[in-house]
PDB file of all heavy atoms in Angstrom:
ATOM      1  N   ASP A 182      -5.443   2.280   4.764  1.00  0.00           N
ATOM      2  CA  ASP A 182      -6.147   1.979   6.002  1.00  0.00           C
ATOM      3  C   ASP A 182      -7.324   1.036   5.757  1.00  0.00           C
ATOM      4  O   ASP A 182      -7.628   0.182   6.596  1.00  0.00           O
ATOM      5  CB  ASP A 182      -6.621   3.275   6.649  1.00  0.00           C
ATOM      6  CG  ASP A 182      -5.481   4.261   6.825  1.00  0.00           C
ATOM      7  OD1 ASP A 182      -4.448   3.875   7.396  1.00  0.00           O
ATOM      8  OD2 ASP A 182      -5.617   5.416   6.363  1.00  0.00           O
ATOM      9  N   PHE A 183      -7.977   1.197   4.615  1.00  0.00           N
ATOM     10  CA  PHE A 183      -9.034   0.252   4.252  1.00  0.00           C
ATOM     11  C   PHE A 183      -8.468  -1.160   4.129  1.00  0.00           C
ATOM     12  O   PHE A 183      -9.072  -2.132   4.594  1.00  0.00           O
ATOM     13  CB  PHE A 183      -9.678   0.665   2.920  1.00  0.00           C
ATOM     14  CG  PHE A 183     -10.504   1.924   2.982  1.00  0.00           C
ATOM     15  CD1 PHE A 183     -10.595   2.772   1.886  1.00  0.00           C
ATOM     16  CD2 PHE A 183     -11.209   2.256   4.123  1.00  0.00           C
ATOM     17  CE1 PHE A 183     -11.361   3.921   1.933  1.00  0.00           C
ATOM     18  CE2 PHE A 183     -11.986   3.410   4.191  1.00  0.00           C
ATOM     19  CZ  PHE A 183     -12.054   4.247   3.089  1.00  0.00           C
ATOM     20  N   ASP A 184      -7.301  -1.277   3.493  1.00  0.00           N
ATOM     21  CA  ASP A 184      -6.683  -2.597   3.376  1.00  0.00           C
ATOM     22  C   ASP A 184      -6.290  -3.136   4.743  1.00  0.00           C
ATOM     23  O   ASP A 184      -6.495  -4.323   5.029  1.00  0.00           O
ATOM     24  CB  ASP A 184      -5.450  -2.522   2.473  1.00  0.00           C
ATOM     25  CG  ASP A 184      -4.760  -3.872   2.377  1.00  0.00           C
ATOM     26  OD1 ASP A 184      -5.349  -4.798   1.790  1.00  0.00           O
ATOM     27  OD2 ASP A 184      -3.640  -4.014   2.914  1.00  0.00           O
ATOM     28  N   MET A 185      -5.723  -2.288   5.601  1.00  0.00           N
ATOM     29  CA  MET A 185      -5.338  -2.728   6.936  1.00  0.00           C
ATOM     30  C   MET A 185      -6.539  -3.220   7.726  1.00  0.00           C
ATOM     31  O   MET A 185      -6.455  -4.210   8.459  1.00  0.00           O
ATOM     32  CB  MET A 185      -4.664  -1.579   7.683  1.00  0.00           C
ATOM     33  CG  MET A 185      -3.224  -1.344   7.301  1.00  0.00           C
ATOM     34  SD  MET A 185      -2.169  -2.775   7.656  1.00  0.00           S
ATOM     35  CE  MET A 185      -2.396  -2.897   9.412  1.00  0.00           C
ATOM     36  N   ALA A 186      -7.656  -2.529   7.591  1.00  0.00           N
ATOM     37  CA  ALA A 186      -8.855  -2.922   8.326  1.00  0.00           C
ATOM     38  C   ALA A 186      -9.286  -4.336   7.936  1.00  0.00           C
ATOM     39  O   ALA A 186      -9.566  -5.180   8.804  1.00  0.00           O
ATOM     40  CB  ALA A 186      -9.978  -1.924   8.066  1.00  0.00           C
ATOM     41  N   ARG A 187      -9.342  -4.614   6.645  1.00  0.00           N
ATOM     42  CA  ARG A 187      -9.723  -5.957   6.181  1.00  0.00           C
ATOM     43  C   ARG A 187      -8.709  -7.005   6.628  1.00  0.00           C
ATOM     44  O   ARG A 187      -9.073  -8.095   7.075  1.00  0.00           O
ATOM     45  CB  ARG A 187      -9.818  -5.994   4.654  1.00  0.00           C
ATOM     46  CG  ARG A 187     -10.931  -5.185   4.059  1.00  0.00           C
ATOM     47  CD  ARG A 187     -10.924  -5.316   2.530  1.00  0.00           C
ATOM     48  NE  ARG A 187     -11.213  -6.665   2.089  1.00  0.00           N
ATOM     49  CZ  ARG A 187     -10.336  -7.467   1.469  1.00  0.00           C
ATOM     50  NH1 ARG A 187      -9.078  -7.062   1.248  1.00  0.00           N
ATOM     51  NH2 ARG A 187     -10.687  -8.680   1.086  1.00  0.00           N
ATOM     52  N   TYR A 188      -7.437  -6.672   6.492  1.00  0.00           N
ATOM     53  CA  TYR A 188      -6.369  -7.612   6.844  1.00  0.00           C
ATOM     54  C   TYR A 188      -6.404  -7.954   8.336  1.00  0.00           C
ATOM     55  O   TYR A 188      -6.322  -9.128   8.719  1.00  0.00           O
ATOM     56  CB  TYR A 188      -5.024  -6.995   6.471  1.00  0.00           C
ATOM     57  CG  TYR A 188      -3.821  -7.647   7.097  1.00  0.00           C
ATOM     58  CD1 TYR A 188      -3.440  -8.938   6.752  1.00  0.00           C
ATOM     59  CD2 TYR A 188      -3.048  -6.954   8.033  1.00  0.00           C
ATOM     60  CE1 TYR A 188      -2.321  -9.530   7.332  1.00  0.00           C
ATOM     61  CE2 TYR A 188      -1.934  -7.535   8.605  1.00  0.00           C
ATOM     62  CZ  TYR A 188      -1.572  -8.816   8.254  1.00  0.00           C
ATOM     63  OH  TYR A 188      -0.477  -9.405   8.830  1.00  0.00           O
ATOM     64  N   LEU A 189      -6.521  -6.954   9.188  1.00  0.00           N
ATOM     65  CA  LEU A 189      -6.464  -7.197  10.628  1.00  0.00           C
ATOM     66  C   LEU A 189      -7.680  -7.961  11.128  1.00  0.00           C
ATOM     67  O   LEU A 189      -7.543  -8.921  11.894  1.00  0.00           O
ATOM     68  CB  LEU A 189      -6.319  -5.871  11.378  1.00  0.00           C
ATOM     69  CG  LEU A 189      -4.998  -5.125  11.169  1.00  0.00           C
ATOM     70  CD1 LEU A 189      -5.022  -3.785  11.885  1.00  0.00           C
ATOM     71  CD2 LEU A 189      -3.820  -5.959  11.654  1.00  0.00           C
ATOM     72  N   ILE A 190      -8.858  -7.561  10.714  1.00  0.00           N
ATOM     73  CA  ILE A 190     -10.074  -8.215  11.199  1.00  0.00           C
ATOM     74  C   ILE A 190     -10.313  -9.539  10.497  1.00  0.00           C
ATOM     75  O   ILE A 190     -10.927 -10.454  11.047  1.00  0.00           O
ATOM     76  CB  ILE A 190     -11.289  -7.275  11.034  1.00  0.00           C
ATOM     77  CG1 ILE A 190     -11.087  -6.009  11.876  1.00  0.00           C
ATOM     78  CG2 ILE A 190     -12.589  -7.976  11.443  1.00  0.00           C
ATOM     79  CD1 ILE A 190     -10.895  -6.258  13.360  1.00  0.00           C
ATOM     80  N   GLY A 191      -9.820  -9.692   9.278  1.00  0.00           N
ATOM     81  CA  GLY A 191     -10.013 -10.954   8.559  1.00  0.00           C
ATOM     82  C   GLY A 191     -11.433 -11.161   8.099  1.00  0.00           C
ATOM     83  O   GLY A 191     -11.904 -12.302   7.994  1.00  0.00           O
ATOM     84  N   ASP A 192     -12.118 -10.064   7.812  1.00  0.00           N
ATOM     85  CA  ASP A 192     -13.505 -10.150   7.350  1.00  0.00           C
ATOM     86  C   ASP A 192     -13.767  -8.979   6.410  1.00  0.00           C
ATOM     87  O   ASP A 192     -12.930  -8.078   6.268  1.00  0.00           O
ATOM     88  CB  ASP A 192     -14.466 -10.126   8.542  1.00  0.00           C
ATOM     89  CG  ASP A 192     -15.858 -10.619   8.192  1.00  0.00           C
ATOM     90  OD1 ASP A 192     -15.973 -11.504   7.307  1.00  0.00           O
ATOM     91  OD2 ASP A 192     -16.836 -10.121   8.770  1.00  0.00           O
ATOM     92  N   GLU A 193     -14.947  -8.996   5.794  1.00  0.00           N
ATOM     93  CA  GLU A 193     -15.282  -7.973   4.806  1.00  0.00           C
ATOM     94  C   GLU A 193     -16.091  -6.834   5.415  1.00  0.00           C
ATOM     95  O   GLU A 193     -16.964  -7.050   6.260  1.00  0.00           O
ATOM     96  CB  GLU A 193     -16.053  -8.587   3.637  1.00  0.00           C
ATOM     97  CG  GLU A 193     -15.273  -9.617   2.846  1.00  0.00           C
ATOM     98  CD  GLU A 193     -14.001  -9.062   2.223  1.00  0.00           C
ATOM     99  OE1 GLU A 193     -13.984  -7.854   1.883  1.00  0.00           O
ATOM    100  OE2 GLU A 193     -13.030  -9.820   2.096  1.00  0.00           O
ATOM    101  N   VAL A 194     -15.814  -5.633   4.959  1.00  0.00           N
ATOM    102  CA  VAL A 194     -16.592  -4.450   5.326  1.00  0.00           C
ATOM    103  C   VAL A 194     -17.866  -4.424   4.486  1.00  0.00           C
ATOM    104  O   VAL A 194     -17.834  -4.708   3.286  1.00  0.00           O
ATOM    105  CB  VAL A 194     -15.764  -3.168   5.093  1.00  0.00           C
ATOM    106  CG1 VAL A 194     -16.610  -1.922   5.261  1.00  0.00           C
ATOM    107  CG2 VAL A 194     -14.560  -3.143   6.035  1.00  0.00           C
ATOM    108  N   VAL A 195     -18.986  -4.086   5.122  1.00  0.00           N
ATOM    109  CA  VAL A 195     -20.256  -4.024   4.396  1.00  0.00           C
ATOM    110  C   VAL A 195     -20.801  -2.597   4.285  1.00  0.00           C
ATOM    111  O   VAL A 195     -21.632  -2.322   3.422  1.00  0.00           O
ATOM    112  CB  VAL A 195     -21.327  -4.941   5.035  1.00  0.00           C
ATOM    113  CG1 VAL A 195     -20.905  -6.399   4.942  1.00  0.00           C
ATOM    114  CG2 VAL A 195     -21.592  -4.558   6.497  1.00  0.00           C
ATOM    115  N   GLU A 196     -20.328  -1.697   5.161  1.00  0.00           N
ATOM    116  CA  GLU A 196     -20.884  -0.338   5.165  1.00  0.00           C
ATOM    117  C   GLU A 196     -19.804   0.667   5.550  1.00  0.00           C
ATOM    118  O   GLU A 196     -18.965   0.400   6.413  1.00  0.00           O
ATOM    119  CB  GLU A 196     -22.050  -0.240   6.151  1.00  0.00           C
ATOM    120  CG  GLU A 196     -22.761   1.098   6.179  1.00  0.00           C
ATOM    121  CD  GLU A 196     -23.872   1.133   7.223  1.00  0.00           C
ATOM    122  OE1 GLU A 196     -23.576   1.426   8.407  1.00  0.00           O
ATOM    123  OE2 GLU A 196     -25.025   0.845   6.853  1.00  0.00           O
TER     124      GLU A 196
END
Side-chain angles (χ1 to χ4, degrees):
D182 307 308
F183 290 148
D184 178 68
M185 281 298 300
R187 293 180 65 247
Y188 164 68
L189 293 176
I190 298 301
D192 197 32
E193 297 300 329
V194 171
V195 296
E196 184 182 85

